[in-house]
Amino acid sequence: MALAFDEYGRPFIILKEQDQKTRLRGIEAQKANIAAGKAVARILQTSLGPKGMDKILQSPDGDVTITNDGATILEQMDVDNQIAKLMVELSRSQDYEIGDGTTGVVVMAGALLEQAERLLERGIHPIRIAEGYEMASKIAVEHLVHISQKFDFGATNIEPLVQTCMTTLSSKIVNRCKRHLAEISVKAVIAVADLERKDVNLDMIKVEGKVGGKLEDTELIYGIIVDKDMSHPQMPKQIEDAKIAILTCPFEPPKPKTKHKVEIDTVEKFQTLRLQEQKYFDDMVQKCKDVGATLVICQWGFDDEANHLLMNRNLPAVRWVGGVELELIAIATGGRIVPRFQELTPEKLGRAGMVREKSFGTTKDKMLYIEHCANSRAVTIFIRGGNKMMIEETKRTEISCSIAVEAAADKYPGVEQYAIRGFADALDSVPMALAENSGLQPIETLSAVKSQQIKENNPRYGIDCNDVGTNDMRQQDVFETLIGKQQQILLATQVVKMILKIDDVISPSEY
């Protein structure tokens, strides 16, 4: 695109390959962008809440995913519109920052865009709408702080965290054992968290899964699980107080770097070569034994002869362990990854109270458990069952924010008050979608809850999705994190402001 001027000084734009491009300007551009954003939000709207519908997504290579998690749906969807891609980025930001509320944030942004469209049709300037939304989001975020409740928790008192976690797992799939899964999740985070610095390194939590068994068989292991078994079937299946050598060098003779040719024309020469290779193996095994190792974990493979020697010399070994697993094992056991046998010393060995091999089901799949490690700050959640879906949570606080924002709109005399009221209406879209997905009359249910909140001045009333018989979310033990809800409102507002400020779209025309 280039800007040129005619002989009278009037500017005009020259588009490269103009006949192959389409251009939208002004209100038309904004309406087209809003339509694209609303289309994405509409897809996710039916997936909101504990009674939300699932989507089947099939990848080009035939892998099928069944989920109602917003981030997963958008991640797997093939989106080519630029504005729709912004919505995908929006859910990804929520996922990275909070890890929850990915569907809600997109539904919220879609509702804000819908309200913006109505305001644009009334002739209100997009910048004034964006400014009104910004004011309204501040009001809503501040109001959230007022209605939030603080729970004290610690390493021993984890009940408030378990309740919050159970809310995020409110789903039909894992409902029967959501308490069990919530406790495992919370204990895993507490195990790796630094509560003084309020810092959690989630890379220290490894999530492994094996199809088969019941969902109730899911367990938390204070240590590492490796999807491998001992390299020889006659090696011991259980080692107590293991001293582990973690190696990235293979159990095989070194290969010369230069091109070489070995001519063996007699039996004696072959015997000499075989003995020489055996001596290499013997030396390698001896080095491991000398430093006191009782288990070797190796990144590379070793052939049958090496395996046989290891078994004979009573040194259990595990081969073909991936680099990520090796790092986790090193962190958990306090060991060092050793790249050469010559560098192996007793200080570099990792220590674990128990290393055991466990087999599962009729297929006898084997896995290696490394437990009671020197550094217990690495844990594994081992999921069993045919399905590993973790599903979106029940939401409740939007109604209270909507009332607060609507009340605040009267204080703003300018055009922005229309945008602030629009923001309040958009907040209602989330509980409305919750009611609709639960098979309730949406407008009737929302109006009843809203009047109940205003009459009793209680922000805890929400949509009774599970038909428990009470609208009080505190009694239903439905909790949501303050930071998660604030992040949803802030991120949705930012994206909508960005979309409203676009007034010129030049795109290649479709053939």
Side-chain angles (χ1 to χ4, degrees), residues 22-26 28-29 32-33 503-507:
T22 56
R23 186 176 183 197
L24 287 171
R25 275 192 276 192
E28 290 306 312
N33 293 342
D503 76 333
D504 206 335
V505 180
I506 298 168
S507 54

Side-chain angles (χ1 to χ4, degrees), residues 10-28:
R10 291 178 302 214
F12 62 93
I13 286 172
I14 301 169
L15 291 180
K16 196 178 173 190
E17 297 164 351
Q18 186 160 354
D19 56 329
Q20 295 171 19
K21 289 198 167 61
T22 56
R23 186 176 183 197
L24 287 171
R25 275 192 276 192
I27 196 89
E28 290 306 312

Side-chain angles (χ1 to χ4, degrees), residues 27 31 116-129 415 418:
I27 196 89
K31 283 190 175 175
E117 190 173 27
R118 291 177 192 171
L119 295 169
L120 285 170
E121 281 167 2
R122 286 192 198 171
I124 297 173
H125 196 279
I127 295 296
R128 303 301 291 272
I129 299 171
V415 177
Y418 295 107

Side-chain angles (χ1 to χ4, degrees), residues 273-449:
L273 182 70
R274 199 180 69 80
L275 288 168
Q276 188 65 42
E277 282 195 356
Q278 194 168 335
K279 187 177 181 304
Y280 266 121
F281 285 137
D282 273 341
D283 288 349
M284 289 170 182
V285 175
Q286 197 54 48
K287 279 194 181 92
C288 295
K289 297 284 279 187
D290 287 346
V291 294
T294 57
L295 173 66
V296 172
I297 293 179
C298 186
Q299 189 173 11
W300 304 105
F302 27 86
D303 60 22
D304 291 344
E305 191 175 356
N307 208 3
H308 175 72
L309 276 168
L310 284 164
M311 206 275 296
N312 269 0
R313 301 291 289 276
N314 198 22
L315 185 61
V318 183
R319 56 185 164 185
W320 296 122
V321 177
V324 177
E325 275 98 342
L326 274 187
E327 280 181 28
L328 275 169
I329 292 167
I331 292 167
T333 59
R336 298 281 293 277
I337 295 172
V338 180
R340 281 192 291 272
F341 285 99
Q342 291 84 344
E343 292 177 21
L344 202 56
T345 59
E347 302 82 60
K348 291 183 179 175
L349 297 179
R351 282 167 174 74
M354 171 77 74
V355 176
R356 60 193 171 99
E357 187 182 287
K358 192 174 173 183
S359 57
F360 301 95
T362 50
T363 54
K364 291 285 176 274
D365 284 342
K366 295 185 177 72
M367 290 187 98
L368 202 68
Y369 284 54
I370 302 169
E371 297 173 282
H372 312 304
C373 303
N375 174 13
S376 63
R377 281 217 161 160
V379 296
T380 305
I381 297 174
F382 184 45
I383 299 171
R384 300 306 311 281
N387 204 318
K388 290 183 277 177
M389 287 206 292
M390 294 302 172
I391 306 194
E392 257 292 291
E393 95 272 29
T394 322
K395 305 217 170 37
R396 64 184 167 85
T397 44
E398 282 80 0
I399 301 172
S400 179
C401 285
S402 157
I403 295 165
V405 171
E406 210 167 319
D410 298 333
K411 297 175 191 166
Y412 292 90
V415 177
E416 285 85 0
Q417 66 166 293
Y418 295 107
I420 293 170
R421 284 211 172 85
F423 192 97
D425 290 344
L427 282 165
D428 284 346
S429 67
V430 174
M432 187 102 80
L434 278 176
E436 205 169 325
N437 293 349
S438 306
L440 305 168
Q441 292 290 332
I443 296 169
E444 206 176 295
T445 311
L446 179 64
S447 306
V449 174

